[in-house]
Amino acid sequence: MLIDLTDVLSCDDKVVTKTACVELPSFDSNLGSFPLKEREPFTLTLTNLGDDKLLIEGRVRLAALIPCDRCLDEVKTFLELVIDKEVDMKQSAEGRIEDLDETDFVIGYNLDVDKLIYSEILVNWPMKTLCKEDCKGICRKCGTNLNHGSCDCDTVELDPRMAVIAEIFKNCN
Ligand SMILES: [Zn+2]
Ligand SMILES: [Zn+2]
């Protein structure tokens, strides 16, 4: 979704509120593609600070489906994004490209809501995702999700030094 900024930029101190929506179907990064859910419309407040500076504020709550780090089950993870960005409209387009990370969501006099949301998700992405604190994970031998059932694999992991001793005893018998 693009929001035309010419109205708010027409005079200093002007404040415009817009109802925006997140159209981005998923958050795609080098970690993978994560579907986004609960994309409710939200309010963006645009304030002309004068001197060609624009303040963009808003709050968005989204859910991302992220696999659990241990068992890979999808976990609906809520992300609370607080948008508070100041954009210098005087900066030339070339200048903005050099600073891509900050203002690539403003193209000419348009605000690209999805790009803005993407940059906010990036900084708010959870370091760790677990379906529950005591997730048992999956069996490394057969792949059974140990939260839902058990398997018959021998998962007792011997200390490598113990394994040597066990081997000696086996040879004695
Ligand atoms: Zn899990
Ligand atoms: Zn198993």
Side-chain angles (χ1 to χ4, degrees):
M1 174 181 187
L2 291 179
I3 292 178
D4 186 354
L5 300 173
T6 46
D7 181 28
V8 65
L9 293 169
S10 63
C11 60
D12 287 2
D13 303 322
K14 187 158 185 165
V15 180
V16 172
T17 56
K18 296 271 186 190
T19 301
C21 47
V22 180
E23 285 159 350
L24 207 63
S26 61
F27 176 71
D28 298 333
S29 73
N30 54 3
L31 298 170
S33 179
F34 307 92
L36 295 175
K37 302 284 167 191
E38 321 246 337
R39 295 175 292 162
E40 302 276 318
F42 64 99
T43 304
L44 266 182
T45 305
L46 309 169
T47 307
N48 187 335
L49 300 174
D51 200 23
D52 283 325
K53 288 203 168 64
L54 177 70
L55 180 65
I56 305 168
E57 294 168 297
R59 272 176 178 274
V60 197
R61 189 171 134 101
L62 284 173
L65 301 181
I66 311 174
C68 169
D69 290 344
R70 290 189 200 146
C71 71
L72 307 178
D73 265 3
E74 248 174 17
V75 185
K76 194 179 194 182
T77 308
F78 284 95
L79 303 170
E80 299 276 353
L81 311 177
V82 179
I83 300 163
D84 182 10
K85 297 271 188 198
E86 202 180 302
V87 181
D88 187 350
M89 299 299 294
K90 267 201 309 268
Q91 238 184 331
S92 66
E94 296 79 49
R96 286 213 201 102
I97 286 163
E98 280 167 27
D99 266 348
L100 255 184
D101 54 335
E102 269 304 300
T103 48
D104 73 328
F105 47 83
V106 175
I107 306 123
Y109 287 96
N110 286 307
L111 168 65
D112 186 324
V113 176
D114 279 349
K115 278 192 177 161
L116 175 64
I117 294 297
Y118 185 93
S119 68
E120 290 295 326
I121 295 175
L122 197 63
V123 294
N124 285 283
W125 196 250
M127 298 290 285
K128 195 173 173 181
T129 301
L130 288 178
C131 60
K132 52 185 177 185
E133 225 19 77
D134 62 345
C135 170
K136 297 191 185 83
I138 52 176
C139 169
R140 276 191 256 171
K141 281 192 182 159
C142 71
T144 297
N145 184 327
L146 299 173
N147 297 308
H148 304 322
S150 55
C151 61
D152 297 324
C153 300
D154 178 10
T155 52
V156 178
E157 282 179 43
L158 284 176
D159 181 305
R161 288 162 299 176
M162 289 300 291
V164 171
I165 293 167
E167 194 64 22
I168 294 168
F169 275 107
K170 203 172 73 189
N171 292 340
C172 292
N173 292 335

